[in-house]
Amino acid sequence: MRWFRRTTFRAVVAALALGAITAALWHLHAETDGLAIETVSIDGTPATVFRERAGAAGPVVVIAHGFAGSQQLMLPFATTLAHAGYVAVTFDFPGHGRNPAPLTGSITREDGATRNLVEVTERVTERVRARGDGRLALLGHSMASDIVVRVAQVLPGVVATVAVSMFSPAVTRESPRDLLIIVGGWEEALRREALRAVGLVSDPEPPRENVTYGDPRLGTARRAAVSEGVEHIGVLYARASLEAAVAWLDGAFDRSSPAPKPPDRRGPWILVLLAGVVALAWPIAQYLPVVSPTPRGAGLGWGRLWPALVVPAVATPLILRILPTHVLPVLVADYLAAHFAVYGLLTAGCLRWRRQRSAPMPATARPVAIGALTAGAMAVTLYGFVGLVLPIDAYVTSFVPGSNRVILILAMLIGTIPFFLADEWLTRGPGAGRGAYAASKLAFLLSLGLAVGLDFGRLFFLVIIVPVILLFFLVYGAIGTWAYRRTGHPWVAGIANAIAFAWAIGVTFPLLAG
C-alpha cells in the first residue's frame, strides 16, 4: 500500500509538471502571435527584426543587450514594441551570444571596447533604418545603456533614447534627445544615477522619479521611471518597464500605438516552465540506475564538516591573488574556472586529511558501478540539456554554443569537475550534517565575494552573475539530491553539475580578442 501511494503521488507530480510545462510553452509561443520575425546578418552581426504582419511600418527601435547577455534577453521589449506598431531590431554584440567576432579593446577604457561597441551599434542602426518609416529610436540595457546614449549623441535622426538600468557619464544637459531612464526598484545606486541625469534639466526643481521634465516636442524631455520590486534582470520583464517604454516612444514620435496587446508577459511563464522542468525531475529520477546500494559520501557531521567549508573558502581567493589566472580569452571566466578548481582541490585535501573516505568497492563490482555511474551522470546531463538549455536559449538568453565556444566549455570543465566531485562527496553520505549542501554553496559564494573584494577592479563583473550562480545551485541542487537518493553515489550529480556549470560559463561570458 505504501508503494502504491508513493507511485501514485509521483504520477500526480509528473502530470502537474507536464501540465505546467505545456501551459508555459503555449503562453511563451503566444507572445509572438501576429508578428513577422526575420533573422538577418548585418556585416556578420546576428540580428533579428520584429514587426507586425499587418499594418504599415512604424519607427525603428534598435535594442541592445547588456554585459554577458544576448538578443534573446531583450525579447520582452522587442515583442512589446513590435505589437505596438514599431519595428524592433535586436542584435548580439561582438563576444556575446551567437556573434562569432570577439570583443576588442579594453573594457575599462572609453577608447577601447566602448568605442568598438558604439561602432557596431551605429552600423546596425544605419543598416536597419530603412526597414521602418524613417524615424529612429534606441533602447539599451545596463552596459548598452551607455552605448545607446553615445550613439544617439552622434548619429543623426535618433529621436528618442530609452536607457534601462543606466550608468553613463556621457549624458549631458543637451543630449541625448528625449531620454527615458528605466530602473528597477531594487537598484538603489542606479536610481541615484537616474536622478542625477534627470537633474541636469530639472533645475531649479529637485529631480523626482516618475516625473517628466522638459518638452518631448523640443527633444528636451527627461524622465526617471522606476519599476518597483525588481532588480537588474527583472527590470527587463516588468510590466511597468515595458509600458513606460511604449508610452515614452509614442510621446516622442507623437503617435498613438494601435490598440497594442498587453506588454510581454513571458517572465512569470519562464518561471513556470523552469519550475515544471525541475519538478518533473523528481519522478523521473526513479528511473536512474542504482550505482551503490549503500549510500556513499563523506558523511561528516558538523563537528568535522566546518573546517572543510572554511579552509577552501578563505584560502582560495588568497592563493589566486598570487597565481596567474589570465589564461583564456573570456572575461573573468578564466578566474571563475580557477576558483572552482583550487576550491575543489582544497576541499579534496580536507577530505583526505579527515580520512573520511568510504571503503573501496570490491574489484568485481567496480566495472558495473562505473558503467552505472556514467549512465546516471549522462542521463541527468541530457535531461538538463533538453529541459533547461533549449528553453533558456529560446526564451531567455543565448545558451547553445557556437563552435568557437566548445573548447571553452572543455576548458571550464578542468575547473568545475574538481569542485563538484569534491563538494558532492563532502556533503553527502550517512550522518552528513543537516544543511551541509546549502552551507557549502553559501561558503563558495562568500569566497567569490572575498575574491571580488581583493581585486575589485578586475573581478567586479562577477557580482553581476552571482544571482545566476545561486539560481543554478538551487536548480541543480534539487535535481542532484533526487539523483543521489536513487543512485546512492554523489558523483552522478557531481559530474552532471560540473558539465552544467562549465556549459553555462562557456556560453555566456563575453569572448575577448587575444
Side-chain angles (χ1 to χ4, degrees):
M1 181 62 69
R2 183 178 179 182
W3 173 87
F4 177 78
R5 288 198 299 267
R6 186 182 304 157
T7 302
T8 301
F9 184 60
R10 288 197 187 103
V12 170
V13 171
L16 291 174
L18 288 171
I21 293 170
T22 301
L25 290 174
W26 186 87
H27 281 279
L28 288 168
H29 180 74
E31 294 297 343
T32 57
D33 284 350
L35 297 182
I37 303 174
E38 180 185 2
T39 301
V40 298
S41 177
I42 301 174
D43 297 333
T45 298
T48 307
V49 181
F50 301 79
R51 64 192 306 160
E52 286 188 306
R53 287 200 183 98
V60 169
V61 183
V62 175
I63 302 172
H65 63 79
F67 171 82
S70 66
Q71 54 180 320
Q72 290 99 310
L73 196 61
M74 306 305 292
L75 280 171
F77 279 102
T79 58
T80 298
L81 290 170
H83 282 301
Y86 292 92
V87 178
V89 181
T90 61
F91 66 97
D92 286 332
F93 278 124
H96 294 73
R98 290 187 172 84
N99 194 326
L103 179 61
T104 58
S106 171
I107 62 170
T108 60
R109 295 171 56 91
E110 290 187 10
D111 60 351
T114 296
R115 174 184 293 177
N116 295 325
L117 295 175
V118 166
E119 290 174 354
V120 170
T121 306
E122 284 187 78
R123 184 164 60 249
V124 169
T125 303
E126 289 285 20
R127 291 285 296 274
V128 301
R129 185 195 294 263
R131 289 178 174 267
D133 63 7
R135 294 178 292 175
L136 189 63
L138 301 175
L139 185 152
H141 172 237
S142 190
M143 172 187 75
S145 65
D146 180 52
I147 303 304
V148 296
V149 164
R150 295 173 186 273
V151 173
Q153 290 173 330
V154 299
L155 194 66
V158 177
V159 174
T161 302
V162 179
V164 185
S165 299
M166 187 194 80
F167 54 98
S168 177
V171 174
T172 69
R173 182 181 179 88
E174 293 77 25
S175 68
R177 289 177 55 91
D178 289 348
L179 174 63
L180 170 67
I181 306 166
I182 301 174
V183 63
W186 295 347
E187 299 183 285
E188 289 297 333
L190 296 183
R191 290 178 73 165
R192 292 192 294 271
E193 168 66 10
L195 288 177
R196 182 198 67 80
V198 171
L200 296 174
V201 300
S202 69
D203 292 340
E205 180 182 347
R208 291 182 294 160
E209 294 174 337
N210 301 313
V211 175
T212 300
Y213 298 92
D215 188 343
R217 293 169 297 181
L218 301 177
T220 60
R222 294 275 174 89
R223 182 182 180 92
V226 178
S227 296
E228 297 292 351
V230 294
E231 32 57 62
H232 200 62
I233 300 300
V235 69
L236 298 175
Y237 297 89
R239 179 171 185 147
S241 301
L242 304 174
E243 290 178 336
V246 172
W248 186 260
L249 294 175
D250 282 351
F253 290 113
D254 194 21
R255 67 188 295 271
S256 297
S257 297
K261 287 179 59 176
D264 189 296
R265 295 164 293 182
R266 74 183 56 235
W269 288 110
I270 289 172
L271 296 179
V272 171
L273 174 60
L274 296 180
V277 170
V278 174
L280 185 61
W282 178 66
I284 288 182
Q286 300 308 306
Y287 296 97
L288 291 171
V290 175
V291 179
S292 175
T294 302
R296 297 169 68 85
L300 295 178
W302 274 103
R304 293 178 175 269
L305 176 66
W306 70 264
L309 296 180
V310 174
V311 171
V314 175
T316 299
L318 299 177
I319 292 172
L320 292 179
R321 280 286 291 168
I322 60 176
L323 292 181
T325 56
H326 297 270
V327 294
L328 294 172
V330 189
L331 187 62
V332 305
D334 47 6
Y335 176 86
L336 188 55
H339 200 100
F340 272 119
V342 173
Y343 201 109
L345 293 174
L346 290 174
T347 301
C350 290
L351 282 169
R352 185 176 181 83
W353 177 64
R354 284 294 184 181
R355 297 184 182 278
Q356 290 295 323
R357 295 172 297 169
S358 60
M361 290 180 290
T364 54
R366 194 179 300 275
V368 175
I370 291 175
L373 174 64
T374 302
M378 292 304 101
V380 176
T381 300
L382 179 62
Y383 183 81
F385 179 81
V386 175
L388 296 172
V389 171
L390 296 181
I392 289 174
D393 185 77
Y395 302 113
V396 183
T397 191
S398 181
F399 223 59
V400 174
S403 58
N404 58 337
R405 290 185 179 266
V406 173
I407 189 65
L408 294 175
I409 295 174
L410 297 177
M412 293 298 114
L413 278 171
I414 298 174
T416 58
I417 283 180
F419 172 80
F420 282 102
L421 293 186
D423 182 77
E424 287 287 334
W425 195 272
L426 173 70
T427 57
R428 306 295 190 187
R434 184 180 296 274
Y437 191 89
S440 73
K441 305 306 178 293
L442 177 60
F444 181 83
L445 293 176
L446 291 175
S447 182
L448 280 183
L450 176 58
V452 173
L454 292 173
D455 192 1
F456 186 80
R458 179 193 170 201
L459 301 179
F460 74 95
F461 282 113
L462 286 177
V463 176
I464 300 175
I465 56 99
V466 163
V468 178
I469 295 177
L470 176 60
L471 179 61
F472 263 69
F473 277 155
L474 293 173
V475 169
Y476 277 92
I479 295 174
T481 297
W482 299 325
Y484 172 70
R485 289 175 182 172
R486 170 62 180 175
T487 64
H489 204 292
W491 285 358
V492 171
I495 295 171
N497 289 352
I499 294 173
F501 271 78
W503 185 291
I505 298 168
V507 301
T508 56
F509 278 69
L511 287 171
L512 304 178

